[in-house]
Amino acid sequence: MPYLLNLAYLLLIVAAMPWLVWQAIRKGKYREGYAAKFFGRVPMRTGDRTCLWLHAVSVGEVNLLAPLLKQIERERPDWECVISTTTMTGMALAKKKYARLSVFYCPLDFSWAVRRAMRRVRPDVLVLAELELWPNLVGAARQSGARVAVINGRLSEHSFRGYLRVRPLIVRLMRLIDLVAVQDETCAGRFRELGTPPSAVQVTGSMKYDGARTDRGNQKTRELAALAGFEDDDVVLLAGSTQEPEEAVVLDVFRQLSKTWPKLRLVLVPRHPDRFDAVGRLLDCSGIPWQRRTMLGRTDLERQRPSRNARVLLVDAIGELGAWWGTARIAFVGGSLGNRGGQNMIEPAAYGAAVSFGPNTRNFRDVVAAMLRHDAAVVVADGDELNRFVSRCLQEPAYAASLGDRARALVRGQLGATERTFRLLATLAEKPLASKGRAAA
């Protein structure tokens, strides 16, 4: 079987070579990590501490590991964690985010590459984030004496149907996995149907929700609300992580509704700092009085005091969005009307805001599916639909409150997934292992 897979992989690479070369020239992709990817020459581990090899494909999975790694550092500092990733962006983020850990490109699923990597790392547990099942990698881990775990596992209906077509092959692979920690019972059932031993499947919830704050009265949010001059009866519409042209869309909605609703306040938080000035120019051209967040925070003579005439605030500061969401009664999560694939809607949901976002949310499809399934968010296709949503929230406060209550309840129900996942991994790491492969150059 490994040799047939090697042949299939080689044929796929040959067939895709023109596209790979074009991507390397045009976008700079696939230009590094060849020794690790093709020959398994990953950093060699020299110690004998319990080792977890955590594999995160790209940026989303790299971020997902953060709360788990913090808990491991806090409760099991004797463990050694190493991280592999697949993409250049994932590698750059992992090196920045986990600078103290060994970070490397995961070998491609060639039998010789994964076996050498296993000999060099000698993990006790191979931890795969979400769902990254490569037969040779999983097989090499088991042959080296390591346990195999999938964490934050998810399996969409589309992927599930695809796996069912090759179920005899998948069953063989799934029986090699010691733990599948899944996000919900639906995913658990799908994994069991694919042949995963029932005892290996555990429902832990989604780790993406951990770290979200649910208390609007937290100190940072209170400080920012006071800085902006918000009053208790103000209704804050916050558009966060926006990209062009979402600020213009939201501003137009505010312009149409603000005359009827004098207590409506608008907060704009662009996704990228290099767009702060462009959004400022947009606000200048609108003729609507507005303020910059950075000017409110200044202590010199140019400092601005919160003005009741300036009902629009541009947050031109980095790292504050999480706390600003706590001021919002109505939320629009950006990156979702354009092509970016959406941004994190968990934070406003956790605070109990009435959450909306556009239709393009592929980066958070599992979170979006859960929110829509629980009637905890609304999808708006364009400015007109956003206008109708905000207008309804203003006209029917009970509707907005119930939407926010369901969103907060959903998040609270998911909190603790990291803790549950950690406990399962700890149990797995403590099980007796077969003798591990020796280090090899």
Side-chain angles (χ1 to χ4, degrees):
M1 178 65 75
Y3 303 104
L4 290 176
L5 286 170
N6 291 341
L7 178 60
Y9 295 146
L10 286 171
L11 291 174
L12 285 172
I13 288 176
V14 170
M17 189 58 69
W19 181 83
L20 295 173
V21 171
W22 172 246
Q23 290 292 307
I25 295 173
R26 183 168 177 263
K27 297 183 177 181
K29 293 184 176 182
Y30 315 117
R31 290 184 177 181
E32 58 187 40
Y34 292 113
K37 291 178 180 179
F38 286 95
F39 303 106
R41 294 191 64 83
V42 302
M44 187 180 296
R45 192 171 71 93
T46 57
D48 290 319
R49 293 187 292 160
T50 296
C51 175
L52 271 63
W53 172 350
L54 300 106
H55 177 55
V57 179
S58 193
V59 170
E61 293 81 8
V62 169
N63 281 322
L64 179 76
L65 295 179
L68 178 62
L69 287 167
K70 285 181 181 178
Q71 182 149 5
I72 291 173
E73 183 177 6
R74 183 171 63 251
E75 296 199 28
R76 295 305 301 263
D78 55 312
W79 287 1
E80 182 174 1
C81 294
V82 302
I83 298 173
S84 66
T85 188
T86 300
T87 67
M88 287 179 62
T89 52
M91 172 63 75
L93 178 63
K95 283 186 172 180
K96 178 181 179 181
K97 203 174 184 75
Y98 313 120
R100 295 186 298 103
L101 303 181
S102 175
V103 178
F104 52 88
Y105 280 108
C106 187
L108 299 177
D109 201 46
F110 293 110
S111 59
W112 61 82
V114 295
R115 287 171 181 168
R116 170 175 274 184
M118 286 295 162
R119 291 195 299 269
R120 293 173 72 90
V121 176
R122 297 174 295 113
D124 294 273
V125 185
L126 172 66
V127 182
L128 307 171
E130 298 208 338
L131 185 63
E132 186 73 1
L133 297 177
W134 292 98
N136 284 338
L137 178 65
V138 172
R142 290 303 299 266
Q143 290 171 9
S144 71
R147 305 287 185 181
V148 180
V150 174
I151 62 171
N152 212 56
R154 60 186 178 91
L155 193 58
S156 68
E157 178 65 27
H158 177 75
S159 298
F160 175 60
R161 289 198 302 268
Y163 282 129
L164 281 177
R165 297 190 184 99
V166 291
R167 189 177 184 279
L169 298 177
I170 293 297
V171 167
R172 184 175 178 180
L173 174 62
M174 299 310 294
R175 287 175 179 168
L176 296 176
I177 299 176
D178 300 278
L179 169 67
V180 181
V182 298
Q183 298 181 18
D184 53 47
E185 189 57 48
T186 299
C187 288
R190 289 171 182 166
F191 275 104
R192 294 187 194 105
E193 194 167 341
L194 290 176
T196 309
S199 60
V201 181
Q202 301 288 332
V203 178
T204 56
S206 175
M207 293 167 58
K208 290 181 179 178
Y209 293 87
D210 283 328
R213 305 196 67 164
T214 60
D215 176 21
R216 285 181 175 272
N218 70 81
Q219 182 178 350
K220 184 62 176 178
T221 293
R222 290 200 313 270
E223 290 174 354
L224 292 176
L227 187 68
F230 293 158
E231 297 180 352
D232 291 342
D233 57 347
D234 282 336
V235 180
V236 176
L237 165 63
L238 193 152
S241 294
T242 52
Q243 66 176 67
E244 191 179 11
E246 290 169 336
E247 297 91 0
V249 171
V250 177
L251 186 61
D252 188 55
V253 170
F254 174 79
R255 181 189 291 110
Q256 295 177 52
L257 297 176
S258 58
K259 294 179 181 179
T260 307
W261 302 95
K263 303 301 290 184
L264 182 64
R265 304 287 295 270
L266 174 62
V267 178
L268 294 173
V269 190
R271 177 71 176 90
H272 296 293
D274 58 8
R275 297 197 57 250
F276 290 160
D277 289 340
V279 177
R281 290 191 292 272
L282 173 69
L283 290 167
D284 283 337
C285 293
S286 73
I288 299 174
W290 65 283
Q291 299 182 53
R292 283 180 179 267
R293 186 273 177 251
T294 49
M295 294 300 291
L296 293 177
R298 295 180 65 163
T299 57
D300 58 21
L301 295 177
E302 295 183 8
R303 176 180 177 180
Q304 296 181 4
R305 295 186 179 276
S307 169
R308 294 303 295 173
N309 293 326
R311 292 163 59 191
V312 178
L313 177 67
L314 170 61
V315 177
D316 55 343
I318 300 171
E320 292 185 348
L321 177 57
W324 279 110
W325 279 127
T327 69
R329 295 294 174 184
I330 308 170
F332 172 76
V333 183
S336 55
L337 289 178
N339 58 6
R340 189 168 297 278
Q343 297 294 336
N344 189 353
M345 61 282 298
I346 294 173
E347 289 180 322
Y351 283 118
V355 177
S356 65
F357 39 74
N360 303 319
T361 51
R362 63 183 180 275
N363 295 336
F364 293 86
R365 57 169 59 94
D366 53 328
V367 176
V368 168
M371 293 186 71
L372 297 180
R373 190 166 59 247
H374 287 81
D375 194 19
V378 171
V379 178
V380 293
D382 51 32
D384 289 339
E385 290 192 7
L386 179 61
N387 188 310
R388 287 194 289 272
F389 170 72
V390 176
S391 181
R392 184 178 180 185
C393 289
L394 293 168
Q395 294 173 21
E396 304 176 38
Y399 163 75
S402 63
L403 193 66
D405 288 344
R406 288 190 292 272
R408 180 183 285 169
L410 171 63
V411 174
R412 283 177 170 167
Q414 294 286 341
L415 295 178
T418 299
E419 167 74 20
R420 292 186 285 271
T421 300
F422 169 76
R423 298 302 169 199
L424 291 168
L425 289 176
T427 300
L428 201 62
E430 291 165 1
K431 287 184 177 180
L433 292 165
S435 59
K436 291 188 283 184
R438 292 186 226 169

